[in-house]
Amino acid sequence: MRKYLTAAIVLLLGRGHARRTPRVLPTAPPNPGAEAAAVALLFLAALLGVGFIVVYAVSSLPDQTQLLGAALGLSLLSIAGALIIVGKKLVVTEELVEPYPPDEHPGEQELVVELVEESGERITRRRLFKLGVGAAGGTLGLAALTPALSFGPLFQTKYFRGTPWRKGRRLVDEGSRPYRASDIEENDFYTAFPEGSTLQSREDLGAPIVLVRLPKSRLRLPPELAGYAADGIVAYSKICTHAGCAISMYRAPLFQPDEPRPALVCPCHYSTFDPADGGSVLFGPAGRRLPMLPLAIDAKGYLRAKGTFDDQVGPTWWGTHIWRPTP
Ligand code: FES
């Protein structure tokens, strides 16, 4: 352990100043091969640290988790290998059998300084070494900070912002059959997708919606959502604004008097949304209401989108509007 600590001090500080006293350790020739191997391992560690950041950024990579683990593990292994080589091959050492010196001996500190200075004599490319240590430490530090990006997307925000809903697009069920307004009954809820979507594109955050029908007298949509309902039918993004689970429960019919109104519920952490009030949050950890899709009924009775959502779909992150309770 002492050797590795000495090696680290030598790499970071170098010799510092000229020797003033006679040598303590025997001289040893430089070992260019070991030196080159240690520097190469340090730069390999830096490269793997950069690799970790790149793999983290490109979330479309297959087996991303395994690649992240491999990059970080190999980077640490490379640093360990470099330190072993420095300790075994580059630090000048000498084994002495002698009684332990008394504490606080006035010459002891001077001796330690000499040891540090002479131990690093075999390292001839100090600047390169320092660069390697700095690169490896710096990139590993950055790699350790990279997971903070998970607080929200940084590189691929398009996936979070785009939706396939456009004006005039019909609503279809899981079998691609277009919904008629008459299909939607009270006390039940329905999942819908944009007409023309494929099985794969239905996995996109902006594709699935939930549909419910409420008595028109119960609708209390805020002014900015006026005209979003069609004959009492309302449509919201099916993706919970908390952490992105699917809204898959509908609290209807009710068990009076405990539950005052129908509600859409996310089973992950029980965020509860009010479909009559523009998808506002009634309960749970969701930070903002559900984005709403404006609906229309065409001449043949089919449900169509009148446009896209009024707000960004998906879980809430630093790029979305944060819902605040009204005082
Ligand atoms: S993801 Fe819906 S409540 Fe947490």
Side-chain angles (χ1 to χ4, degrees):
M1 189 62 197
R2 202 183 81 179
K3 281 198 294 187
Y4 297 131
L5 281 175
T6 307
I9 292 168
V10 168
L11 286 174
L12 288 173
L13 302 179
R15 290 182 61 185
H17 54 80
R19 177 156 28 94
R20 296 179 298 275
T21 56
R23 291 190 61 81
V24 180
L25 293 175
T27 54
N31 188 340
E35 210 174 327
V39 170
L41 281 171
L42 286 172
F43 280 105
L44 179 62
L47 208 60
L48 287 162
V50 172
F52 178 92
I53 296 168
V54 171
V55 171
Y56 193 92
V58 187
S59 56
S60 57
L61 283 177
D63 303 323
Q64 189 192 28
T65 305
Q66 287 80 356
L67 287 173
L68 286 173
L72 203 55
L74 289 173
S75 180
L76 290 170
L77 271 180
S78 301
I79 290 176
L83 288 177
I84 288 171
I85 290 174
V86 170
K88 295 252 183 224
K89 301 284 184 189
L90 295 175
V91 173
V92 181
T93 56
E94 181 188 32
E95 288 199 10
L96 294 175
V97 181
E98 57 182 24
Y100 199 80
D103 285 344
E104 305 297 328
H105 191 283
E108 189 175 358
Q109 290 186 18
E110 187 70 24
L111 185 63
V112 170
V113 171
E114 290 299 317
L115 277 171
V116 169
E117 288 178 355
E118 293 169 14
S119 296
E121 274 184 347
R122 299 175 78 185
I123 299 175
T124 56
R125 285 170 279 189
R126 287 164 192 273
R127 282 198 183 151
L128 196 58
F129 248 103
K130 284 183 185 173
L131 197 63
V133 170
T139 51
L140 263 186
L142 278 179
L145 291 175
T146 304
L149 296 176
S150 291
F151 285 124
L154 187 62
F155 299 106
Q156 297 171 335
T157 55
K158 195 174 159 207
Y159 175 73
F160 286 80
R161 296 190 190 280
T163 88
W165 291 102
R166 303 284 180 273
K167 184 175 181 183
R169 191 156 288 183
R170 287 199 295 187
L171 283 58
V172 299
D173 65 13
E174 290 175 359
S176 298
R177 190 183 67 85
Y179 277 114
R180 289 179 188 274
S182 55
D183 295 331
I184 311 301
E185 298 178 358
E186 283 185 21
N187 297 331
D188 205 350
F189 88 127
Y190 305 79
T191 296
F193 304 94
E195 187 171 36
S197 57
T198 61
L199 276 182
Q200 192 179 2
S201 66
R202 289 178 183 182
E203 300 284 318
D204 291 346
L205 282 182
I209 58 170
V210 289
L211 287 171
V212 296
R213 181 191 283 275
L214 297 163
K216 278 186 263 185
S217 59
R218 297 190 78 151
L219 282 178
R220 291 172 286 105
L221 295 179
E224 67 270 20
L225 296 175
Y228 272 53
D231 195 28
I233 301 170
V234 287
Y236 296 96
S237 166
K238 192 178 173 73
I239 306 302
C240 180
T241 52
H242 175 226
C245 284
I247 308 286
S248 55
M249 294 176 357
Y250 187 42
R251 194 176 69 191
L254 307 173
F255 299 96
Q256 298 287 5
D258 300 326
E259 306 293 358
R261 56 175 81 97
L264 293 161
V265 182
C266 172
C268 287
H269 314 98
Y270 283 94
S271 283
T272 306
F273 304 91
D274 186 349
D277 186 28
S280 61
V281 181
L282 292 170
F283 173 80
R288 62 192 177 103
R289 64 177 183 79
L290 289 175
M292 191 171 189
L293 189 78
L295 293 181
I297 301 171
D298 70 14
K300 294 182 179 171
Y302 288 111
L303 283 168
R304 292 182 183 269
K306 273 205 301 197
T308 187
F309 295 100
D310 73 300
D311 196 5
Q312 190 171 317
V313 298
T316 302
W317 49 288
W318 56 23
T320 55
H321 169 71
I322 307 296
W323 176 81
R324 300 241 184 274
T326 44

PDB file of all heavy atoms in Angstrom, residues 240 242-245 266 268-271 285, ligand 1:
ATOM      1  N   CYS A 240     -48.704   8.713 -18.005  1.00  0.00           N
ATOM      2  CA  CYS A 240     -48.758   9.453 -16.738  1.00  0.00           C
ATOM      3  C   CYS A 240     -47.681  10.534 -16.729  1.00  0.00           C
ATOM      4  O   CYS A 240     -46.534  10.302 -17.135  1.00  0.00           O
ATOM      5  CB  CYS A 240     -48.553   8.486 -15.582  1.00  0.00           C
ATOM      6  SG  CYS A 240     -48.587   9.265 -13.963  1.00  0.00           S
ATOM      7  N   HIS A 242     -46.268  11.657 -14.210  1.00  0.00           N
ATOM      8  CA  HIS A 242     -45.307  11.469 -13.112  1.00  0.00           C
ATOM      9  C   HIS A 242     -44.043  10.823 -13.660  1.00  0.00           C
ATOM     10  O   HIS A 242     -43.033  11.472 -13.843  1.00  0.00           O
ATOM     11  CB  HIS A 242     -45.922  10.623 -11.994  1.00  0.00           C
ATOM     12  CG  HIS A 242     -44.935  10.298 -10.917  1.00  0.00           C
ATOM     13  ND1 HIS A 242     -44.794   9.042 -10.381  1.00  0.00           N
ATOM     14  CD2 HIS A 242     -44.016  11.076 -10.293  1.00  0.00           C
ATOM     15  CE1 HIS A 242     -43.842   9.060  -9.461  1.00  0.00           C
ATOM     16  NE2 HIS A 242     -43.352  10.275  -9.389  1.00  0.00           N
ATOM     17  N   ALA A 243     -44.094   9.520 -13.927  1.00  0.00           N
ATOM     18  CA  ALA A 243     -42.892   8.825 -14.387  1.00  0.00           C
ATOM     19  C   ALA A 243     -43.120   8.054 -15.679  1.00  0.00           C
ATOM     20  O   ALA A 243     -42.271   7.259 -16.070  1.00  0.00           O
ATOM     21  CB  ALA A 243     -42.369   7.897 -13.300  1.00  0.00           C
ATOM     22  N   GLY A 244     -44.258   8.278 -16.329  1.00  0.00           N
ATOM     23  CA  GLY A 244     -44.435   7.726 -17.665  1.00  0.00           C
ATOM     24  C   GLY A 244     -45.111   6.368 -17.737  1.00  0.00           C
ATOM     25  O   GLY A 244     -45.084   5.725 -18.778  1.00  0.00           O
ATOM     26  N   CYS A 245     -45.744   5.895 -16.661  1.00  0.00           N
ATOM     27  CA  CYS A 245     -46.507   4.637 -16.755  1.00  0.00           C
ATOM     28  C   CYS A 245     -47.783   4.889 -17.567  1.00  0.00           C
ATOM     29  O   CYS A 245     -48.136   6.027 -17.846  1.00  0.00           O
ATOM     30  CB  CYS A 245     -46.895   4.148 -15.365  1.00  0.00           C
ATOM     31  SG  CYS A 245     -45.542   3.389 -14.451  1.00  0.00           S
ATOM     32  N   CYS A 266     -53.350   6.136 -12.405  1.00  0.00           N
ATOM     33  CA  CYS A 266     -52.139   5.434 -12.842  1.00  0.00           C
ATOM     34  C   CYS A 266     -51.759   4.440 -11.740  1.00  0.00           C
ATOM     35  O   CYS A 266     -51.609   4.832 -10.582  1.00  0.00           O
ATOM     36  CB  CYS A 266     -51.007   6.444 -13.050  1.00  0.00           C
ATOM     37  SG  CYS A 266     -49.427   5.647 -13.350  1.00  0.00           S
ATOM     38  N   CYS A 268     -49.058   2.890 -11.060  1.00  0.00           N
ATOM     39  CA  CYS A 268     -47.675   2.817 -10.564  1.00  0.00           C
ATOM     40  C   CYS A 268     -47.532   3.451  -9.187  1.00  0.00           C
ATOM     41  O   CYS A 268     -47.019   2.840  -8.259  1.00  0.00           O
ATOM     42  CB  CYS A 268     -46.734   3.487 -11.558  1.00  0.00           C
ATOM     43  SG  CYS A 268     -46.511   2.492 -13.035  1.00  0.00           S
ATOM     44  N   HIS A 269     -47.975   4.721  -9.052  1.00  0.00           N
ATOM     45  CA  HIS A 269     -47.871   5.395  -7.753  1.00  0.00           C
ATOM     46  C   HIS A 269     -49.178   6.103  -7.414  1.00  0.00           C
ATOM     47  O   HIS A 269     -49.214   7.019  -6.621  1.00  0.00           O
ATOM     48  CB  HIS A 269     -46.715   6.401  -7.759  1.00  0.00           C
ATOM     49  CG  HIS A 269     -45.451   5.858  -8.359  1.00  0.00           C
ATOM     50  ND1 HIS A 269     -45.075   6.106  -9.657  1.00  0.00           N
ATOM     51  CD2 HIS A 269     -44.517   5.025  -7.849  1.00  0.00           C
ATOM     52  CE1 HIS A 269     -43.943   5.464  -9.919  1.00  0.00           C
ATOM     53  NE2 HIS A 269     -43.589   4.801  -8.857  1.00  0.00           N
ATOM     54  N   TYR A 270     -50.233   5.678  -8.088  1.00  0.00           N
ATOM     55  CA  TYR A 270     -51.593   6.139  -7.822  1.00  0.00           C
ATOM     56  C   TYR A 270     -51.814   7.629  -8.038  1.00  0.00           C
ATOM     57  O   TYR A 270     -52.583   8.261  -7.316  1.00  0.00           O
ATOM     58  CB  TYR A 270     -52.058   5.690  -6.426  1.00  0.00           C
ATOM     59  CG  TYR A 270     -52.425   4.226  -6.472  1.00  0.00           C
ATOM     60  CD1 TYR A 270     -51.495   3.252  -6.137  1.00  0.00           C
ATOM     61  CD2 TYR A 270     -53.681   3.836  -6.949  1.00  0.00           C
ATOM     62  CE1 TYR A 270     -51.793   1.917  -6.255  1.00  0.00           C
ATOM     63  CE2 TYR A 270     -53.991   2.492  -7.067  1.00  0.00           C
ATOM     64  CZ  TYR A 270     -53.050   1.539  -6.718  1.00  0.00           C
ATOM     65  OH  TYR A 270     -53.352   0.213  -6.847  1.00  0.00           O
ATOM     66  N   SER A 271     -51.149   8.194  -9.011  1.00  0.00           N
ATOM     67  CA  SER A 271     -51.546   9.540  -9.419  1.00  0.00           C
ATOM     68  C   SER A 271     -52.959   9.451  -9.985  1.00  0.00           C
ATOM     69  O   SER A 271     -53.275   8.533 -10.758  1.00  0.00           O
ATOM     70  CB  SER A 271     -50.590  10.089 -10.478  1.00  0.00           C
ATOM     71  OG  SER A 271     -49.398  10.505  -9.881  1.00  0.00           O
ATOM     72  N   PRO A 285     -48.294  11.710  -6.878  1.00  0.00           N
ATOM     73  CA  PRO A 285     -47.052  12.454  -7.085  1.00  0.00           C
ATOM     74  C   PRO A 285     -46.934  13.178  -8.434  1.00  0.00           C
ATOM     75  O   PRO A 285     -45.961  13.891  -8.635  1.00  0.00           O
ATOM     76  CB  PRO A 285     -45.985  11.354  -7.008  1.00  0.00           C
ATOM     77  CG  PRO A 285     -46.687  10.125  -7.489  1.00  0.00           C
ATOM     78  CD  PRO A 285     -48.110  10.257  -7.064  1.00  0.00           C
TER      79      PRO A 285
HETATM   80  S1  FES B   1     -45.866   6.867 -13.028  1.00  0.00           S
HETATM   81 FE1  FES B   1     -47.916   7.301 -12.673  1.00  0.00          FE
HETATM   82  S2  FES B   1     -48.032   7.723 -10.627  1.00  0.00           S
HETATM   83 FE2  FES B   1     -45.924   7.372 -10.927  1.00  0.00          FE
END
